[in-house]
Amino acid sequence: MKTIRTFHRSVLVLSILLMAFTFEAGAQPGKSFNGNDFSSNKSSNTIGGTNLSTGLKSNVELAFGYETFEEYPYLGVTYSLGYQCNPYFYIGGLLGTGFPNLFIFAADGRAYFTKTKTAPFISTQLGFTFTYCDSCEGHSGVFFSFGPGVRFSLAKKMGLSLYPSIKLEAGEDLGLAIAFNIGFDF
């Protein structure tokens, strides 16, 4: 008796598997058997193959603001070249100039929170500055910048970033600037 019951169960399971296989054999990849799309990547807000995918990336930024201790305007231009490790992390090297600094050398990093066309992020920069002027022989100091922002995807591999930042310089003098940054990455 046990052999007959086991045989019937095996035939039943085999029949169900065979029907499931023949039903799905007519389906196309990413679509159900009746042709409806069940892909979760259909959102129009997903980046896909744009700049947040892995690869080499450049970023040019303009920062303008106000230096709080010395009470003068702050203006800076930077260029960053680095690698987008995955859609969430970027790391690179930064070279720039900022008034009152002559040169800025720093490591540049960003952490993105989403892979969407409008992606919020946090930007950090850590390095050093060098200033040379007629009245001083030149001095260097530590440079740190931090700010939350938003990146807007413009086209494939291009984006516009807007964010406020705090820029701190510690050397012979202490400098603190509050700036608004506009960046273009490609």
Side-chain angles (χ1 to χ4, degrees), residues 71-99:
E71 298 183 355
Y72 51 77
Y74 179 87
L75 180 65
V77 178
T78 60
Y79 173 75
S80 174
L81 178 65
Y83 191 76
Q84 185 76 38
C85 304
N86 59 36
Y88 300 102
F89 295 105
Y90 165 80
I91 189 158
L94 180 131
L95 175 64
T97 183
F99 179 77

Side-chain angles (χ1 to χ4, degrees), residues 28-74:
Q28 298 172 355
K31 296 190 177 206
S32 65
F33 184 73
N34 61 5
N36 293 333
D37 190 3
F38 61 81
S39 172
S40 63
N41 294 332
K42 196 67 174 169
S43 171
S44 63
N45 204 21
T46 301
I47 292 235
T50 64
N51 197 16
L52 290 180
S53 57
T54 61
L56 199 60
K57 176 177 163 182
S58 294
N59 187 23
V60 178
E61 279 189 10
L62 174 65
F64 56 92
Y66 188 72
E67 208 290 335
T68 58
F69 294 146
E70 299 293 325
E71 298 183 355
Y72 51 77
Y74 179 87

Side-chain angles (χ1 to χ4, degrees), residues 5-171:
R5 285 186 190 168
T6 308
F7 177 75
H8 288 298
R9 286 183 188 155
S10 299
V11 170
L12 180 63
V13 169
L14 185 60
S15 299
I16 291 172
L17 289 174
L18 187 59
M19 285 190 322
F21 177 76
T22 56
F23 180 74
E24 287 298 321
Q28 298 172 355
K31 296 190 177 206
S32 65
F33 184 73
N34 61 5
N36 293 333
D37 190 3
F38 61 81
S39 172
S40 63
N41 294 332
K42 196 67 174 169
S43 171
S44 63
N45 204 21
T46 301
I47 292 235
T50 64
N51 197 16
L52 290 180
S53 57
T54 61
L56 199 60
K57 176 177 163 182
S58 294
N59 187 23
V60 178
E61 279 189 10
L62 174 65
F64 56 92
Y66 188 72
E67 208 290 335
T68 58
F69 294 146
E70 299 293 325
E71 298 183 355
Y72 51 77
Y74 179 87
L75 180 65
V77 178
T78 60
Y79 173 75
S80 174
L81 178 65
Y83 191 76
Q84 185 76 38
C85 304
N86 59 36
Y88 300 102
F89 295 105
Y90 165 80
I91 189 158
L94 180 131
L95 175 64
T97 183
F99 179 77
N101 304 313
L102 191 56
F103 297 108
I104 300 171
F105 304 98
D108 186 18
R110 281 195 184 177
Y112 294 92
F113 296 112
T114 63
K115 297 190 303 184
T116 57
K117 288 184 179 181
T118 305
F121 65 86
I122 291 198
S123 174
T124 58
Q125 299 163 352
L126 179 62
F128 68 94
T129 64
F130 178 77
T131 303
Y132 184 81
C133 60
D134 293 334
S135 63
C136 61
E137 293 182 11
H139 64 275
S140 61
V142 175
F143 173 78
F144 176 72
S145 177
F146 175 80
V150 177
R151 179 189 180 272
F152 302 97
S153 179
L154 300 176
K156 187 172 184 175
K157 300 258 183 189
M158 285 191 262
L160 175 71
S161 299
L162 303 172
Y163 66 101
S165 65
I166 295 174
K167 300 185 182 303
L168 178 66
E169 300 165 17

